[in-house]
Amino acid sequence: MYGNYDSGTASSPGGPHDQDAQQRFDRLIEADQRIEPRDWMPDAYRKTLIRQIAQHAHSEIIGMQPEGNWITRAPSLRRKAILIAKVQDEAGHGLYLYSATETLGIDREELLDRLHDGRQKYSSIFNYPTLNWADVGAIGWLVDGAAIMNQVPLCRCSYGPYARAMVRICKEESFHQRQGFDILHTLSHGTPGQKAMAQDAVNRYWWPSLMMFGPPDEESSHSAQSTAWGIKRFSNDELRQRFVDMTAPQAEVLGLSLPDDDLRWNAERGHYDFGAIDWDEFARVIRGDGPCNAERLRRRRQAHDDGEWVREAAQAYADKQAARQQAARQEARAS
Amino acid sequence: MTEGHDSGKRGWPLWEVFVRPRRGLAHQHVGSLHAPDAAMALRNARDVYTRRGEGVSIWVVPSSAIMANSPDEKDPFFDPAQDKVYRHPTFYDVPEGAKQL
Amino acid sequence: MSGVRTLPPLAAYALALGDDALILAQRLGEWVAHAPQIEEDLALANIALDLLGQARTLLSYAGEIEQAGRDEDDLAYLRDDRDFRNVQLVEIPNGDFAVTIARQLMFSAYQYELYTALLGSGDATLAGLAGKAVKEVAYHRDHAVQWVLRLGDGTDLSHARMQAGLDQVWPYTEELFDPASQLPGIAADPATLRPAWEQCVTSVLSEATLDKPEPRWRSRGGRDGLHTEHLGHLLSEMQHLHRTHPGATW
């Protein structure tokens, strides 16, 4: 999901062509075994993974902004605490994922450069603003719900460090979705003002959540390769359908409507039918023309730039301490 | 611990984190993080990897200090005697005089 | 709604300590998503959560003793700034990372001595809270110490900024040790907390190659509801949504 859509990598092999290594790699994939950091892997596999895992990491980090937006205004101390914990988890998830990406032989600084200059992306959903408190609930219920749908299969992704990071993340993620649902349930069963707030949030977040699963299968050109490599376990449309099937009944429990007149249970198919997604909007937002794209990146870049003097100071101190210890050792030897 | 890189641009060094979740168990590798030195690495590891109270004991090791031998992970350039954990460019000491590596 | 002046002394005491923790938690919450390193977003959020937990315990307790039916949210969201009893130190704006860290060192070092003293409090709730909190604030203090050392003894730029942060924050520290309500055996006498605090802070500054500031003014009045102009803005933001929907459950 955070990289489920068009990853845009070349599929032609680069790097050393080693027949045995390729065969070994293929056998591991076929046997559903894990590829580990020191295994030979096709260059394109490495590049695809770097892009996908990094974009997943970037999504977690950027995602801290729309939710962090409501920490100082949370309407109860309990909700404030839960929200801080959630955003903290997201920072942690970003770190696990950067850590997994780095095992592929790339530095976090390089990944951040690519995020900051737009070469790597993050999930389109975080380009939408959080305009009221209920949006925090909608993000938990819908966005995290969609994320879980994608993340559970990734726990069996072929690349070991990514799969293991996903297991860690999934353990922490279920609390997030439940909290979002709980916020909305409280609102929809509260005052008329609160119920209207909740409905407004769902009206704005429903369609963008469906878009999180990426373009329709027939337009997803690199999915076939990702599937063959065990990176992608289910197609975009399959996951999207599962999400709708899971979420539509939950909306009824919430007593909130979903903004889709074509949404209805189809007994023949055994699934919910739903309306057409505005793929033009999706394309626009991916391209950078969403409500918050510029702002999200600007704030991210600014945090990084503003922090440079701090990071440098820490490194300078570490170097000084190392030099002092070295000098002390030499002195001790000399005496 | 010097990596020979420009700290402002390259960022803090990478550390591997091992956590013993309960008395009686062995330390397990849980991931990595960036920190300027061991003291900060330990503290960051506590915040990142033991937020939910997991962890009686934390070890942090500079990633570049770990020697690996994983014969099952086949890499044509793998030195069977000892090698680094990842094929990470900053893990390898750049020989004197080699500039654009 | 009753002003804090009419609160029983124990409730007023718990409220003051709770307000300290609440307001600082609010300030730290503002750092989320733009700390100098992602690992630091986590660390600051961690401190904010601990402080918020302390605040909730203390505010709830104050409400219980008062017996006017006010719970933690009533106290946090429905009082005006003249009824808040925090010291001014915790309400000053975050500034840059150096100001934030300077504030953290001063306050966490104080809280460490405070909670250590409260371990022996005759009040079971306060003693119980202190048992948990003293471990939390030991970690907060350590975190601040690590950063003061690195910023003070890092680069010339970081040294200058750390000194500036210290200079800005120092005038607010005297207030921490002003005499408080008389609750012998229950409350900690702030003056008794000072020597250990001073020793800790002085040694850290010295190791960090920083000069101890000699301020020409000191803050006054936080415990009596006299605050800086900053608190009003902080509370507007914090309380607005809650106040907009009176009586609602969240």
Side-chain angles (χ1 to χ4, degrees):
Chain A
M1 173 210 53
Y2 292 132
N4 233 14
Y5 54 84
D6 208 351
S7 56
T9 40
S11 53
S12 58
H17 184 69
D18 183 334
Q19 288 273 27
D20 289 338
Q22 177 74 58
Q23 272 173 22
R24 188 164 187 283
F25 173 82
D26 292 337
R27 272 200 300 274
L28 285 169
I29 297 284
E30 249 173 65
D32 203 18
Q33 297 247 336
R34 297 290 167 265
I35 307 296
E36 295 296 348
R38 291 305 317 221
D39 280 316
W40 181 92
M41 58 186 81
D43 214 46
Y45 177 84
R46 182 187 302 278
K47 287 199 168 78
T48 297
L49 275 174
I50 286 175
R51 191 177 173 81
Q52 179 165 329
I53 307 173
Q55 293 191 157
H56 194 164
H58 298 326
S59 296
E60 298 281 354
I61 300 308
I62 297 289
M64 293 168 66
Q65 288 186 41
E67 293 192 272
N69 187 34
W70 282 90
I71 286 176
T72 55
R73 293 176 291 171
S76 76
L77 296 186
R78 180 174 161 261
R79 291 293 180 198
K80 194 194 286 281
I82 293 171
L83 184 54
I84 294 175
K86 179 175 200 268
V87 177
Q88 192 188 33
D89 275 353
E90 274 147 32
H93 295 175
L95 291 178
Y96 303 155
L97 291 164
Y98 283 130
S99 165
T101 320
E102 288 183 286
T103 66
L104 289 161
I106 188 167
D107 200 62
R108 193 205 295 183
E109 286 299 307
E110 174 60 30
L111 298 173
L112 290 177
D113 283 347
R114 293 183 192 186
L115 168 67
H116 296 158
D117 69 23
R119 276 176 291 160
Q120 281 179 346
K121 301 200 177 299
Y122 51 90
S123 183
S124 55
I125 191 71
F126 298 125
N127 290 314
Y128 293 84
T130 48
L131 299 177
N132 69 40
W133 167 250
D135 289 19
V136 172
I139 288 181
W141 176 46
L142 297 174
V143 175
D144 289 335
I148 289 170
M149 199 115 275
N150 196 60
Q151 278 162 192
V152 170
L154 283 174
C155 294
R156 292 177 299 121
C157 159
S158 57
Y159 188 58
Y162 191 20
R164 289 189 288 275
M166 291 317 306
V167 169
R168 258 199 112 79
I169 289 173
C170 283
K171 273 197 207 135
E172 299 178 0
E173 198 77 49
S174 54
F175 138 76
H176 297 177
Q177 200 203 5
R178 259 179 286 133
Q179 286 305 327
F181 186 85
D182 190 51
I183 288 176
L184 289 175
H185 193 270
T186 307
L187 294 174
S188 66
H189 291 77
T191 69
Q194 287 178 304
K195 180 159 188 176
M197 197 196 288
Q199 186 61 65
D200 177 59
V202 170
N203 289 347
R204 283 180 287 103
Y205 271 86
W206 175 249
W207 291 107
S209 299
L210 294 189
M211 292 176 201
M212 285 170 70
F213 294 95
D217 291 347
E218 67 263 17
E219 280 167 45
S220 203
S221 45
H222 299 282
S223 285
Q225 181 63 86
S226 286
T227 306
W229 278 332
I231 297 172
K232 195 180 174 73
R233 298 289 183 181
F234 299 102
S235 79
N236 295 355
D237 288 337
E238 259 179 293
L239 289 174
R240 192 174 2 248
Q241 180 68 71
R242 268 200 218 176
F243 175 72
V244 175
D245 290 343
M246 174 185 82
T247 312
Q250 290 175 345
E252 283 175 45
V253 173
L254 286 176
L256 297 170
S257 66
L258 294 172
D260 181 0
D261 292 332
D262 297 319
L263 179 71
R264 66 179 58 83
W265 176 252
N266 182 326
E268 263 179 58
R269 282 202 314 129
H271 292 288
Y272 276 87
D273 290 336
F274 54 96
I277 292 173
D278 182 355
W279 292 112
D280 286 339
E281 178 183 331
F282 178 68
R284 257 199 309 110
V285 175
I286 293 287
R287 264 201 321 267
D289 184 16
C292 297
N293 301 53
E295 179 69 10
R296 298 284 180 241
L297 269 184
R298 188 193 62 77
R299 289 200 54 201
R300 173 84 287 277
R301 268 191 231 113
Q302 181 162 54
H304 193 73
D305 294 343
D306 287 353
E308 173 125 347
W309 69 273
V310 175
R311 298 190 297 271
E312 274 185 17
Q315 190 62 60
Y317 177 83
D319 293 344
K320 281 194 213 181
Q321 289 294 85
R324 284 170 192 146
Q325 277 156 26
Q326 177 85 315
R329 274 196 296 272
Q330 278 168 351
E331 222 181 277
R333 256 180 265 134
S335 58
Chain B
M1 189 202 74
T2 51
E3 300 269 37
H5 53 65
D6 175 355
S7 61
K9 308 282 183 326
R10 299 303 309 140
W12 296 337
L14 191 65
W15 302 72
E16 300 302 319
V17 181
F18 302 81
V19 174
R20 171 169 51 220
R22 260 194 331 277
R23 197 167 282 284
L25 298 178
H27 281 78
Q28 244 198 345
H29 181 241
V30 291
S32 64
L33 50 76
H34 288 272
D37 55 42
M40 293 303 269
L42 281 167
R43 286 155 176 80
N44 288 347
R46 176 210 184 261
D47 288 337
V48 178
Y49 288 103
T50 71
R51 260 191 337 283
R52 281 167 166 73
E54 324 97 271
V56 170
S57 165
I58 302 174
W59 289 348
V60 294
V61 187
S63 306
S64 60
I66 298 185
M67 293 297 153
N69 179 359
S70 323
D72 196 44
E73 290 173 46
K74 288 270 167 53
D75 175 337
F77 307 112
F78 187 61
D79 174 352
Q82 63 179 27
D83 208 324
K84 298 294 187 175
V85 227
Y86 316 134
R87 267 199 260 132
H88 201 303
T90 59
F91 290 171
Y92 301 89
D93 292 327
V94 176
E96 278 289 321
K99 299 222 198 304
Q100 286 328 99
L101 267 176
Chain C
M1 195 189 67
S2 59
V4 180
R5 271 169 296 269
T6 63
L7 275 185
L10 182 56
Y13 183 65
L15 198 58
L17 300 191
D19 284 347
D20 283 351
L22 176 65
I23 299 302
L24 188 54
Q26 179 75 2
R27 280 301 187 209
L28 291 173
E30 294 169 17
W31 268 107
V32 169
H34 59 269
Q37 179 95 353
I38 299 165
E39 283 83 350
E40 196 57 27
D41 276 296
L42 264 165
L44 293 175
N46 183 54
I47 298 175
L49 270 173
D50 286 345
L51 289 172
L52 188 52
Q54 292 167 24
R56 293 179 66 195
T57 300
L58 288 160
L59 260 50
S60 295
Y61 190 46
E64 262 172 57
I65 299 168
E66 184 195 35
Q67 295 192 318
R70 290 202 281 183
D71 68 11
E72 67 187 27
D73 287 337
D74 294 324
L75 289 167
Y77 292 93
L78 300 178
R79 279 182 296 152
D80 294 332
D81 51 355
R82 293 283 282 106
D83 290 326
F84 272 78
R85 297 303 154 126
N86 54 284
V87 290
Q88 291 183 7
L89 173 66
V90 296
E91 72 197 44
I92 64 176
N94 288 331
D96 67 6
F97 191 65
V99 174
T100 289
I101 285 301
R103 180 184 63 198
Q104 199 64 53
L105 176 64
M106 302 299 129
F107 187 68
S108 296
Y110 155 78
Q111 273 195 317
Y112 181 78
E113 303 310 329
L114 169 73
Y115 286 127
T116 300
L118 287 177
L119 288 172
S121 171
D123 180 278
T125 303
L126 290 179
L129 168 68
K132 178 171 181 261
V134 76
K135 291 186 211 125
E136 293 172 349
V137 306
Y139 190 76
H140 305 170
R141 184 181 69 170
D142 170 73
H143 184 83
V145 167
Q146 297 303 319
W147 274 114
V148 170
L149 291 175
R150 281 158 181 77
L151 298 182
D153 193 14
T155 62
D156 290 340
L157 173 61
S158 73
H159 179 92
R161 288 204 185 188
M162 189 65 238
Q163 187 66 62
L166 203 53
D167 293 342
Q168 191 185 330
V169 157
W170 196 266
Y172 295 94
T173 56
E174 191 72 31
E175 208 184 332
L176 294 166
F177 308 107
D178 285 342
S181 49
Q182 294 300 321
L183 286 167
I186 293 190
D189 176 1
T192 63
L193 306 176
R194 196 203 199 108
W197 174 90
E198 185 108 36
Q199 188 176 43
C200 167
V201 168
T202 304
S203 88
V204 172
L205 294 190
S206 161
E207 198 185 331
T209 74
L210 294 161
D211 299 323
K212 197 192 231 186
E214 275 158 34
R216 275 177 290 182
W217 73 282
R218 52 149 291 173
S219 63
R220 287 180 178 82
R223 297 277 187 233
D224 295 318
L226 294 167
H227 294 281
T228 69
E229 290 175 347
H230 301 293
L231 186 64
H233 294 284
L234 180 154
L235 292 178
S236 302
E237 193 174 335
M238 189 175 95
Q239 299 180 339
H240 175 83
L241 176 60
H242 181 102
R243 290 194 185 222
T244 304
H245 300 262
T249 306
W250 299 97

